Amino acid sequence: MEHALSPATLTELRRRRAYPAVSVLTPTHRRDPDTAQDPVRLRNVVAEAKKQLEADPGVTRERRAAVAQELDRALAEVDLTHAEDGLVIFAAPGEHQVWSLARPVPERVVLSDTFLTRNLVSAQAAERPFWVLSVSADRVTLWSGGVDRVTEDHSGGFPLTRTRENFDAERQERIGDMPSTFRDEDTRHFLRDADAVMSRVLREDPRPLYITGEQAALSLLDEIGTVTKDAVHVRHGGLAHGSAEAVWQAVRPRHDAEARRDTASVARVLESARGHRAFAAGVDEVWRSAREGRVRLLAVEENYRVTVRDDGDHLVPAESGDLDAREDIVDEIVEQCLDKGAQVRFVPDGALGEAHGIAGVLRF
């Protein structure tokens, strides 16, 4: 199952396809007893997708069979033992993808000529993704981070390694046999190459960057690096050869501190915007501003969800399951704002006070 949504992957998912491109969404659960309903609910929503394919006169028999086959393949790949808060399946002739999301989604089946991406985009923004580069003299490992985990990532060809006869840099650093490791010219070249590769990764998928390593490694990167100079340094050796959990525990305190600072910064910007009459609050007002491309900064409380319908001029409250109800309007607003160049920040529940879960700073 997929977790990390890169800009290149998003562009590919949004590519127009021959009808039908099928999107299947269903909520999932992390803990018992709620997990017991997930397998049944998943099978039912996939069965509903097949039913809609059967009933659609615009779908030929051949394409119906091809998409149904991809749905079955996707269903076989789902691992609900590691479920998060939502699951999205994309299927079209010759292709399928399964996405696990750390953000709830409404149960839905959509047949179109593109895949439905707004829930993925919103979940990715809520994850506040970041990179971790773990550095040693003989290995540099890249990790992709989110709200509560990191996983090893192979973008750019990471991990980068080098070998040398009788070379055990990690051990020698620990016992003090090789005080000049990071003054060695070969090591300098190796880490300069790693910095260049990381620069390419950041161009393709910009995120905040943390770097872990011994103090000597961090100092050398400060001296010779480019993109790494703006990174958050975490003085902790051994993680280039370590586990994902070890990396997460080392980075988490700094990451949590950065998140608190970001929330405080967002609050200050919103307060200033209120004073300058460049402020929008509430789902209806923010939605209209987002459609007009006027939102410069969007702030959303982490668990804010609301079901509405469009009465032509405004969004009005609705019940889940009502005709024309829009259960993922918040995700839609997030995607609209990101597509139009706005910054999006998710903040703790209650942080926006009287703004009722969602607020925006306007461009004009």
Side-chain angles (χ1 to χ4, degrees):
M1 295 194 294
E2 304 287 343
H3 294 274
L5 182 66
S6 70
T9 301
L10 180 59
T11 297
E12 170 58 22
L13 288 175
R14 286 174 165 173
R15 175 176 58 83
R16 291 199 175 276
R17 289 160 168 82
Y19 186 84
V22 179
S23 304
V24 178
L25 290 72
T26 186
T28 52
H29 302 85
R30 297 173 186 252
R31 298 177 182 85
D32 293 332
D34 295 327
T35 55
Q37 65 182 278
D38 291 348
V40 175
R41 196 166 186 173
L42 176 59
R43 287 195 298 270
N44 287 345
V45 74
V46 170
E48 173 62 24
K50 292 180 179 179
K51 181 179 177 181
Q52 290 191 27
L53 287 169
E54 286 283 346
D56 193 328
V59 182
T60 65
R61 179 182 300 176
E62 293 77 11
R63 295 190 68 80
R64 184 183 306 127
V67 176
Q69 183 180 54
E70 296 298 335
L71 286 170
D72 288 338
R73 289 173 175 168
L75 192 58
E77 292 179 10
V78 174
D79 180 8
L80 289 175
T81 61
H82 297 97
E84 297 177 280
D85 302 307
L87 190 74
V88 178
I89 293 174
F90 296 133
E95 62 174 321
H96 68 269
Q97 292 190 33
V98 180
W99 289 84
S100 178
L101 307 183
R103 183 168 169 82
V105 300
E107 186 167 289
R108 174 178 293 172
V109 174
V110 177
L111 276 62
S112 183
D113 58 357
T114 60
F115 293 134
L116 184 68
T117 60
R118 62 174 171 254
N119 306 96
L120 270 68
V121 170
S122 182
Q124 181 80 348
E127 279 263 295
R128 297 190 292 271
F130 58 91
W131 295 116
V132 181
L133 196 68
S134 293
V135 177
S136 71
D138 66 330
R139 182 180 175 91
V140 180
T141 307
L142 180 65
W143 311 87
S144 176
V147 169
D148 59 1
R149 65 175 182 268
V150 300
T151 56
E152 188 170 357
D153 194 286
H154 301 291
S155 299
F158 284 105
L160 305 183
T161 61
R162 70 181 183 126
T163 57
R164 209 165 69 190
E165 188 176 354
N166 299 322
F167 182 63
D168 183 356
E170 291 286 342
R171 177 181 178 279
Q172 290 169 317
E173 289 164 24
R174 287 196 300 271
I175 65 177
D177 281 359
M178 196 168 64
S180 62
T181 299
F182 292 100
R183 293 196 295 271
D184 176 80
E185 194 60 32
D186 289 341
T187 303
R188 293 172 66 90
H189 282 300
F190 175 61
L191 294 188
R192 188 179 289 114
D193 289 344
D195 180 84
V197 174
M198 192 66 228
S199 177
R200 292 195 292 271
V201 170
L202 286 169
R203 281 198 299 271
E204 294 175 4
D205 190 356
R207 305 183 190 180
L209 174 64
Y210 297 81
I211 301 180
T212 75
E214 298 289 340
Q215 182 58 53
L218 300 179
S219 297
L220 178 57
L221 283 170
D222 268 344
E223 178 187 341
I224 66 173
T226 54
V227 297
T228 56
K229 288 182 178 179
D230 297 323
V232 177
H233 289 189
V234 178
R235 184 176 176 179
H236 194 303
L239 297 177
H241 297 266
S243 66
E245 180 61 21
V247 174
W248 170 238
Q249 293 304 325
V251 171
R252 184 175 185 175
R254 295 296 301 274
H255 179 254
D256 289 349
E258 291 293 322
R260 289 191 295 270
R261 278 194 288 271
D262 188 54
T263 298
S265 174
V266 168
R268 289 193 296 270
V269 172
L270 289 172
E271 188 61 31
S272 175
R274 193 190 297 268
H276 290 86
R277 298 184 180 181
F279 179 77
V283 67
D284 181 53
E285 189 175 346
V286 172
W287 172 70
R288 285 185 282 117
S289 298
R291 291 171 63 194
E292 296 167 359
R294 297 181 60 206
V295 178
R296 176 169 63 85
L297 170 68
L298 177 71
V300 185
E301 292 184 359
E302 288 168 347
N303 293 299
Y304 178 62
R305 315 289 295 181
V306 63
T307 300
V308 299
R309 60 181 175 83
D310 183 357
D311 71 357
D313 296 315
H314 297 279
L315 298 180
V316 297
E319 296 293 328
S320 178
D322 283 357
L323 185 64
D324 297 329
R326 298 164 75 166
E327 298 184 43
D328 56 354
I329 188 65
V330 174
D331 290 358
E332 184 177 331
I333 291 170
V334 169
E335 184 180 50
Q336 284 180 339
C337 289
L338 287 170
D339 284 349
K340 294 178 179 178
Q343 298 179 56
V344 174
R345 296 289 186 271
F346 281 81
V347 298
D349 294 344
L352 298 182
E354 295 179 359
H356 303 295
I358 189 167
V361 177
L362 305 182
R363 290 191 172 98
F364 51 86

